[in-house]
Amino acid sequence: MRVFLTGGTGYIGTAVLGRLISEGHQVTALVRDPGKAEAVRAQGADPVIGDLADGATVHRLAGAADGVIHLASPGDDSSARIDDTAATQIIAALKGSDRPYVHTTGVWVHGSGAAITETSPMNPPRLTAWRVPIAERVLSAPGVRSAVVAPAVVHGHGGGLLDLVAAGPRTGGALTMIGHGDQHWSTVHVDDLAALYVRALDKAPAGSYFIGASGVNPTVREITEAVSRAIGLSGRVAPEPVVQTLERLGLLGEALLLDQQATGEAARRTLGWAPEHPTILEDIAP
């Protein structure tokens, strides 16, 4: 399949690109500069230097592809506007073709919950509230085999939010947790998540929604203790008052204080997806 990929040099996108190439897909990756172009070329993809905000370029590349995976996001105040532009142009390019389009949101859009599944209501924090209406539009796109993937907290290969945990303040020789530490984070290994994206591209029925979660939902205390051991602090951790977490991390802190336990049932049932890589606590262990 000829696949148009955005975000192919990002943390998740690098894994997705590698998975696509390993399964024999031909990939065209939109990148922002020559250095990133060289990175995706080295993985076996064809780079196109351009801007995700350039609707005409996105429309052209999506229209020339057999399928699209959209992962890129600026991660700043322009994210909502640019994601809306990209989704609009991809839908327009694929409309009526029944070609696949895999779009990205995130598990945070469900808010806190002890048993989050694909049918759980949406209650997003302010950081990701803009993702919900765009995803709804993707799922209802006419004549497009659309799917939305909502990744959990991603880990693996030394990346993801574990870097943020490790960089937390030290309090009396203890690593400061994000909040009180009793909240759960739903998690997924980046390579398992990449496999989910490619399965969704190949097999997902139109209008499918998948939470990319392994079903492993440790507390922030458990995660921070494991990181503390890994960085030589002997598992010592200290709680952080919520107000201080919000002052330190802003809207991201609000999202990280959510108490979430998700399972990713639909991907297992519909796509036969089966996470097989180390859990987050196994991944942290030195």
Side-chain angles (χ1 to χ4, degrees):
M1 186 185 298
R2 295 170 301 169
V3 181
F4 170 43
L5 174 67
T6 74
T9 59
Y11 177 46
I12 298 172
T14 298
V16 171
L17 174 55
R19 184 82 182 203
L20 287 167
I21 295 297
S22 72
E23 295 194 11
H25 295 286
Q26 297 175 287
V27 181
T28 298
L30 182 65
V31 297
R32 287 178 291 180
D33 57 59
K36 293 182 183 298
E38 190 57 38
V40 300
R41 187 179 289 112
Q43 282 196 267
D46 296 319
V48 173
I49 298 175
D51 193 325
L52 194 63
D54 180 356
T57 297
V58 173
H59 188 282
R60 174 175 61 84
L61 294 173
D66 299 317
V68 177
I69 296 178
H70 174 39
L71 287 160
S73 177
D76 56 28
D77 290 344
S78 69
S79 294
R81 173 179 55 81
I82 290 177
D83 198 56
D84 182 71
T85 296
T88 297
Q89 294 303 322
I90 293 167
I91 290 170
L94 300 182
K95 183 177 180 180
S97 69
D98 292 321
R99 283 175 283 172
Y101 168 26
V102 185
H103 184 83
T104 302
T105 58
V107 74
W108 290 338
V109 297
H110 289 284
S112 293
I116 297 172
T117 69
E118 286 78 5
T119 60
S120 297
M122 300 290 175
N123 185 25
R126 287 175 292 171
L127 183 69
T128 61
W130 57 269
R131 288 190 177 276
V132 176
I134 298 174
E136 290 174 345
R137 188 152 51 86
V138 170
L139 291 173
S140 62
V144 180
R145 185 162 63 80
S146 58
V148 170
V149 174
V153 171
V154 187
H155 65 92
H157 305 302
L161 285 172
L162 292 180
D163 291 341
L164 181 66
V165 175
R170 308 302 199 261
T171 304
L175 182 60
T176 299
M177 295 183 288
I178 294 172
H180 46 70
D182 294 335
Q183 74 272 31
H184 296 79
W185 283 357
S186 293
T187 62
V188 66
H189 193 283
V190 67
D191 291 336
D192 287 324
L193 183 61
L196 172 55
Y197 271 96
V198 177
R199 280 180 179 256
L201 180 78
D202 290 339
K203 300 179 179 181
S208 297
Y209 175 56
F210 305 108
I211 293 176
S214 66
V216 177
N217 306 286
T219 65
V220 168
R221 175 177 291 276
E222 290 172 317
I223 292 170
T224 311
E225 287 175 344
V227 172
S228 173
R229 287 190 291 272
I231 63 176
L233 295 179
S234 302
R236 294 188 298 272
V237 300
E240 181 176 50
V242 167
V243 65
Q244 291 183 18
T245 294
L246 295 176
E247 288 174 356
R248 177 165 68 94
L249 298 175
L251 293 182
L252 176 60
E254 184 180 291
L256 294 173
L257 289 168
L258 295 173
D259 185 8
Q260 295 192 309
Q261 298 185 63
T263 58
E265 293 177 0
R268 291 165 169 79
R269 182 176 62 251
T270 304
L271 303 176
W273 179 62
E276 59 185 23
H277 288 84
T279 68
I280 189 168
L281 297 181
E282 292 169 343
D283 197 27
I284 297 167

mmCIF file of all heavy atoms in Angstrom, residues 238-270:
data_model
loop_
_atom_site.group_PDB
_atom_site.id
_atom_site.type_symbol
_atom_site.label_atom_id
_atom_site.label_comp_id
_atom_site.label_asym_id
_atom_site.label_seq_id
_atom_site.Cartn_x
_atom_site.Cartn_y
_atom_site.Cartn_z
ATOM 1 N N ALA A 238 8.534 11.465 46.704
ATOM 2 C CA ALA A 238 7.811 12.398 47.565
ATOM 3 C C ALA A 238 6.608 12.937 46.809
ATOM 4 O O ALA A 238 6.706 13.228 45.608
ATOM 5 C CB ALA A 238 8.719 13.551 47.984
ATOM 6 N N PRO A 239 5.449 13.049 47.467
ATOM 7 C CA PRO A 239 4.270 13.595 46.798
ATOM 8 C C PRO A 239 4.426 15.086 46.531
ATOM 9 O O PRO A 239 5.248 15.768 47.158
ATOM 10 C CB PRO A 239 3.144 13.334 47.802
ATOM 11 C CG PRO A 239 3.833 13.311 49.124
ATOM 12 C CD PRO A 239 5.191 12.718 48.874
ATOM 13 N N GLU A 240 3.638 15.577 45.603
ATOM 14 C CA GLU A 240 3.633 16.993 45.269
ATOM 15 C C GLU A 240 2.201 17.510 45.386
ATOM 16 O O GLU A 240 1.289 16.930 44.781
ATOM 17 C CB GLU A 240 4.149 17.206 43.841
ATOM 18 C CG GLU A 240 4.212 18.659 43.404
ATOM 19 C CD GLU A 240 4.823 18.808 42.022
ATOM 20 O OE1 GLU A 240 4.374 18.102 41.093
ATOM 21 O OE2 GLU A 240 5.750 19.615 41.867
ATOM 22 N N PRO A 241 1.961 18.561 46.148
ATOM 23 C CA PRO A 241 0.611 19.111 46.213
ATOM 24 C C PRO A 241 0.079 19.433 44.811
ATOM 25 O O PRO A 241 0.834 19.902 43.943
ATOM 26 C CB PRO A 241 0.788 20.380 47.050
ATOM 27 C CG PRO A 241 1.996 20.106 47.890
ATOM 28 C CD PRO A 241 2.898 19.291 47.014
ATOM 29 N N VAL A 242 -1.198 19.178 44.602
ATOM 30 C CA VAL A 242 -1.797 19.372 43.285
ATOM 31 C C VAL A 242 -1.560 20.784 42.776
ATOM 32 O O VAL A 242 -1.239 20.992 41.596
ATOM 33 C CB VAL A 242 -3.304 19.039 43.333
ATOM 34 C CG1 VAL A 242 -4.000 19.539 42.071
ATOM 35 C CG2 VAL A 242 -3.505 17.539 43.474
ATOM 36 N N VAL A 243 -1.697 21.765 43.648
ATOM 37 C CA VAL A 243 -1.513 23.151 43.204
ATOM 38 C C VAL A 243 -0.096 23.379 42.685
ATOM 39 O O VAL A 243 0.109 24.118 41.709
ATOM 40 C CB VAL A 243 -1.860 24.141 44.345
ATOM 41 C CG1 VAL A 243 -0.892 24.003 45.524
ATOM 42 C CG2 VAL A 243 -1.888 25.560 43.823
ATOM 43 N N GLN A 244 0.892 22.698 43.284
ATOM 44 C CA GLN A 244 2.267 22.851 42.822
ATOM 45 C C GLN A 244 2.484 22.129 41.493
ATOM 46 O O GLN A 244 3.228 22.607 40.634
ATOM 47 C CB GLN A 244 3.241 22.340 43.878
ATOM 48 C CG GLN A 244 3.290 23.209 45.124
ATOM 49 C CD GLN A 244 4.319 22.726 46.131
ATOM 50 O OE1 GLN A 244 5.231 21.963 45.810
ATOM 51 N NE2 GLN A 244 4.178 23.170 47.376
ATOM 52 N N THR A 245 1.843 20.968 41.330
ATOM 53 C CA THR A 245 1.928 20.275 40.036
ATOM 54 C C THR A 245 1.367 21.153 38.929
ATOM 55 O O THR A 245 1.958 21.264 37.844
ATOM 56 C CB THR A 245 1.156 18.941 40.096
ATOM 57 O OG1 THR A 245 1.801 18.056 41.002
ATOM 58 C CG2 THR A 245 1.106 18.278 38.723
ATOM 59 N N LEU A 246 0.242 21.785 39.193
ATOM 60 C CA LEU A 246 -0.373 22.635 38.178
ATOM 61 C C LEU A 246 0.473 23.866 37.902
ATOM 62 O O LEU A 246 0.576 24.318 36.755
ATOM 63 C CB LEU A 246 -1.783 23.026 38.618
ATOM 64 C CG LEU A 246 -2.774 21.862 38.729
ATOM 65 C CD1 LEU A 246 -4.110 22.341 39.269
ATOM 66 C CD2 LEU A 246 -2.963 21.171 37.382
ATOM 67 N N GLU A 247 1.110 24.409 38.929
ATOM 68 C CA GLU A 247 2.004 25.550 38.721
ATOM 69 C C GLU A 247 3.227 25.144 37.910
ATOM 70 O O GLU A 247 3.713 25.888 37.056
ATOM 71 C CB GLU A 247 2.439 26.122 40.066
ATOM 72 C CG GLU A 247 1.343 26.868 40.813
ATOM 73 C CD GLU A 247 1.775 27.288 42.205
ATOM 74 O OE1 GLU A 247 2.901 26.920 42.611
ATOM 75 O OE2 GLU A 247 0.986 27.972 42.892
ATOM 76 N N ARG A 248 3.712 23.923 38.144
ATOM 77 C CA ARG A 248 4.935 23.448 37.477
ATOM 78 C C ARG A 248 4.679 23.023 36.046
ATOM 79 O O ARG A 248 5.492 23.294 35.144
ATOM 80 C CB ARG A 248 5.532 22.289 38.286
ATOM 81 C CG ARG A 248 6.770 21.654 37.676
ATOM 82 C CD ARG A 248 7.504 20.785 38.680
ATOM 83 N NE ARG A 248 6.798 19.593 39.075
ATOM 84 C CZ ARG A 248 6.963 18.388 38.500
ATOM 85 N NH1 ARG A 248 7.808 18.256 37.497
ATOM 86 N NH2 ARG A 248 6.296 17.336 38.948
ATOM 87 N N LEU A 249 3.560 22.361 35.804
ATOM 88 C CA LEU A 249 3.327 21.732 34.502
ATOM 89 C C LEU A 249 2.151 22.323 33.728
ATOM 90 O O LEU A 249 1.924 21.936 32.579
ATOM 91 C CB LEU A 249 3.113 20.229 34.688
ATOM 92 C CG LEU A 249 4.296 19.461 35.289
ATOM 93 C CD1 LEU A 249 3.913 18.019 35.544
ATOM 94 C CD2 LEU A 249 5.515 19.551 34.384
ATOM 95 N N GLY A 250 1.392 23.216 34.330
ATOM 96 C CA GLY A 250 0.302 23.867 33.615
ATOM 97 C C GLY A 250 -0.779 22.896 33.162
ATOM 98 O O GLY A 250 -1.156 21.979 33.893
ATOM 99 N N LEU A 251 -1.260 23.079 31.926
ATOM 100 C CA LEU A 251 -2.336 22.238 31.411
ATOM 101 C C LEU A 251 -1.903 20.776 31.273
ATOM 102 O O LEU A 251 -2.726 19.867 31.416
ATOM 103 C CB LEU A 251 -2.822 22.762 30.058
ATOM 104 C CG LEU A 251 -3.519 24.122 30.064
ATOM 105 C CD1 LEU A 251 -3.986 24.479 28.661
ATOM 106 C CD2 LEU A 251 -4.694 24.141 31.037
ATOM 107 N N LEU A 252 -0.625 20.544 31.013
ATOM 108 C CA LEU A 252 -0.135 19.168 30.976
ATOM 109 C C LEU A 252 -0.288 18.518 32.342
ATOM 110 O O LEU A 252 -0.668 17.347 32.452
ATOM 111 C CB LEU A 252 1.329 19.139 30.537
ATOM 112 C CG LEU A 252 2.009 17.763 30.548
ATOM 113 C CD1 LEU A 252 1.289 16.791 29.627
ATOM 114 C CD2 LEU A 252 3.482 17.884 30.169
ATOM 115 N N GLY A 253 -0.013 19.267 33.399
ATOM 116 C CA GLY A 253 -0.195 18.742 34.742
ATOM 117 C C GLY A 253 -1.628 18.343 35.015
ATOM 118 O O GLY A 253 -1.892 17.314 35.651
ATOM 119 N N GLU A 254 -2.569 19.129 34.514
ATOM 120 C CA GLU A 254 -3.987 18.796 34.666
ATOM 121 C C GLU A 254 -4.294 17.446 34.043
ATOM 122 O O GLU A 254 -5.031 16.632 34.612
ATOM 123 C CB GLU A 254 -4.823 19.895 34.008
ATOM 124 C CG GLU A 254 -6.317 19.762 34.155
ATOM 125 C CD GLU A 254 -7.052 20.894 33.475
ATOM 126 O OE1 GLU A 254 -6.956 22.034 33.968
ATOM 127 O OE2 GLU A 254 -7.708 20.648 32.440
ATOM 128 N N ALA A 255 -3.722 17.181 32.872
ATOM 129 C CA ALA A 255 -3.940 15.895 32.201
ATOM 130 C C ALA A 255 -3.263 14.755 32.953
ATOM 131 O O ALA A 255 -3.823 13.659 33.084
ATOM 132 C CB ALA A 255 -3.425 15.968 30.767
ATOM 133 N N LEU A 256 -2.063 15.007 33.477
ATOM 134 C CA LEU A 256 -1.313 13.951 34.153
ATOM 135 C C LEU A 256 -1.873 13.622 35.532
ATOM 136 O O LEU A 256 -1.518 12.596 36.117
ATOM 137 C CB LEU A 256 0.157 14.348 34.263
ATOM 138 C CG LEU A 256 0.906 14.443 32.932
ATOM 139 C CD1 LEU A 256 2.302 15.005 33.146
ATOM 140 C CD2 LEU A 256 0.964 13.099 32.234
ATOM 141 N N LEU A 257 -2.733 14.469 36.049
ATOM 142 C CA LEU A 257 -3.397 14.194 37.321
ATOM 143 C C LEU A 257 -4.654 13.343 37.152
ATOM 144 O O LEU A 257 -5.248 12.910 38.145
ATOM 145 C CB LEU A 257 -3.750 15.511 38.026
ATOM 146 C CG LEU A 257 -2.554 16.296 38.592
ATOM 147 C CD1 LEU A 257 -2.986 17.696 38.989
ATOM 148 C CD2 LEU A 257 -1.928 15.573 39.772
ATOM 149 N N LEU A 258 -5.063 13.084 35.906
ATOM 150 C CA LEU A 258 -6.209 12.204 35.671
ATOM 151 C C LEU A 258 -5.916 10.803 36.215
ATOM 152 O O LEU A 258 -4.785 10.325 36.144
ATOM 153 C CB LEU A 258 -6.524 12.111 34.177
ATOM 154 C CG LEU A 258 -7.003 13.379 33.482
ATOM 155 C CD1 LEU A 258 -7.103 13.153 31.977
ATOM 156 C CD2 LEU A 258 -8.348 13.845 34.043
ATOM 157 N N ASP A 259 -6.949 10.161 36.728
ATOM 158 C CA ASP A 259 -6.841 8.795 37.245
ATOM 159 C C ASP A 259 -7.515 7.872 36.233
ATOM 160 O O ASP A 259 -8.751 7.775 36.189
ATOM 161 C CB ASP A 259 -7.515 8.709 38.614
ATOM 162 C CG ASP A 259 -7.343 7.353 39.282
ATOM 163 O OD1 ASP A 259 -6.584 6.519 38.755
ATOM 164 O OD2 ASP A 259 -7.974 7.128 40.333
ATOM 165 N N GLN A 260 -6.720 7.198 35.398
ATOM 166 C CA GLN A 260 -7.257 6.442 34.273
ATOM 167 C C GLN A 260 -6.818 4.981 34.301
ATOM 168 O O GLN A 260 -5.632 4.689 34.494
ATOM 169 C CB GLN A 260 -6.803 7.057 32.950
ATOM 170 C CG GLN A 260 -7.352 8.458 32.692
ATOM 171 C CD GLN A 260 -7.110 8.882 31.256
ATOM 172 O OE1 GLN A 260 -5.990 8.797 30.753
ATOM 173 N NE2 GLN A 260 -8.145 9.324 30.586
ATOM 174 N N GLN A 261 -7.774 4.096 34.038
ATOM 175 C CA GLN A 261 -7.477 2.679 33.841
ATOM 176 C C GLN A 261 -8.239 2.231 32.599
ATOM 177 O O GLN A 261 -9.464 2.126 32.612
ATOM 178 C CB GLN A 261 -7.890 1.861 35.061
ATOM 179 C CG GLN A 261 -7.141 2.248 36.322
ATOM 180 C CD GLN A 261 -7.454 1.366 37.496
ATOM 181 O OE1 GLN A 261 -7.183 0.163 37.476
ATOM 182 N NE2 GLN A 261 -8.038 1.942 38.543
ATOM 183 N N ALA A 262 -7.505 1.999 31.516
ATOM 184 C CA ALA A 262 -8.101 1.647 30.229
ATOM 185 C C ALA A 262 -7.620 0.270 29.779
ATOM 186 O O ALA A 262 -6.569 -0.212 30.205
ATOM 187 C CB ALA A 262 -7.754 2.695 29.187
ATOM 188 N N THR A 263 -8.393 -0.333 28.886
ATOM 189 C CA THR A 263 -8.100 -1.708 28.471
ATOM 190 C C THR A 263 -7.798 -1.882 26.993
ATOM 191 O O THR A 263 -7.095 -2.810 26.616
ATOM 192 C CB THR A 263 -9.290 -2.617 28.821
ATOM 193 O OG1 THR A 263 -10.471 -2.113 28.173
ATOM 194 C CG2 THR A 263 -9.516 -2.661 30.327
ATOM 195 N N GLY A 264 -8.331 -1.034 26.112
ATOM 196 C CA GLY A 264 -8.118 -1.227 24.686
ATOM 197 C C GLY A 264 -8.822 -2.453 24.143
ATOM 198 O O GLY A 264 -8.283 -3.176 23.296
ATOM 199 N N GLU A 265 -10.048 -2.696 24.597
ATOM 200 C CA GLU A 265 -10.772 -3.920 24.217
ATOM 201 C C GLU A 265 -11.080 -3.997 22.725
ATOM 202 O O GLU A 265 -10.988 -5.058 22.108
ATOM 203 C CB GLU A 265 -12.089 -4.001 25.007
ATOM 204 C CG GLU A 265 -11.906 -4.212 26.500
ATOM 205 C CD GLU A 265 -13.232 -4.212 27.236
ATOM 206 O OE1 GLU A 265 -14.279 -4.051 26.574
ATOM 207 O OE2 GLU A 265 -13.228 -4.371 28.464
ATOM 208 N N ALA A 266 -11.482 -2.874 22.118
ATOM 209 C CA ALA A 266 -11.941 -2.915 20.724
ATOM 210 C C ALA A 266 -10.833 -3.350 19.776
ATOM 211 O O ALA A 266 -11.077 -4.078 18.809
ATOM 212 C CB ALA A 266 -12.491 -1.546 20.316
ATOM 213 N N ALA A 267 -9.609 -2.913 20.019
ATOM 214 C CA ALA A 267 -8.500 -3.296 19.137
ATOM 215 C C ALA A 267 -8.220 -4.790 19.221
ATOM 216 O O ALA A 267 -7.893 -5.431 18.215
ATOM 217 C CB ALA A 267 -7.249 -2.502 19.496
ATOM 218 N N ARG A 268 -8.357 -5.348 20.401
ATOM 219 C CA ARG A 268 -8.158 -6.788 20.549
ATOM 220 C C ARG A 268 -9.262 -7.563 19.834
ATOM 221 O O ARG A 268 -9.016 -8.541 19.131
ATOM 222 C CB ARG A 268 -8.127 -7.155 22.037
ATOM 223 C CG ARG A 268 -6.891 -6.641 22.773
ATOM 224 C CD ARG A 268 -7.111 -6.722 24.279
ATOM 225 N NE ARG A 268 -5.901 -6.488 25.059
ATOM 226 C CZ ARG A 268 -5.390 -5.300 25.312
ATOM 227 N NH1 ARG A 268 -5.977 -4.217 24.824
ATOM 228 N NH2 ARG A 268 -4.297 -5.176 26.036
ATOM 229 N N ARG A 269 -10.474 -7.107 20.031
ATOM 230 C CA ARG A 269 -11.629 -7.811 19.494
ATOM 231 C C ARG A 269 -11.736 -7.667 17.974
ATOM 232 O O ARG A 269 -11.991 -8.637 17.254
ATOM 233 C CB ARG A 269 -12.891 -7.261 20.160
ATOM 234 C CG ARG A 269 -14.188 -7.941 19.735
ATOM 235 C CD ARG A 269 -15.367 -7.403 20.515
ATOM 236 N NE ARG A 269 -15.587 -5.973 20.286
ATOM 237 C CZ ARG A 269 -15.353 -5.022 21.181
ATOM 238 N NH1 ARG A 269 -14.872 -5.319 22.370
ATOM 239 N NH2 ARG A 269 -15.585 -3.752 20.887
ATOM 240 N N THR A 270 -11.530 -6.468 17.467
ATOM 241 C CA THR A 270 -11.765 -6.189 16.046
ATOM 242 C C THR A 270 -10.551 -6.482 15.182
ATOM 243 O O THR A 270 -10.683 -6.978 14.059
ATOM 244 C CB THR A 270 -12.168 -4.712 15.868
ATOM 245 O OG1 THR A 270 -13.306 -4.426 16.690
ATOM 246 C CG2 THR A 270 -12.504 -4.405 14.417
#
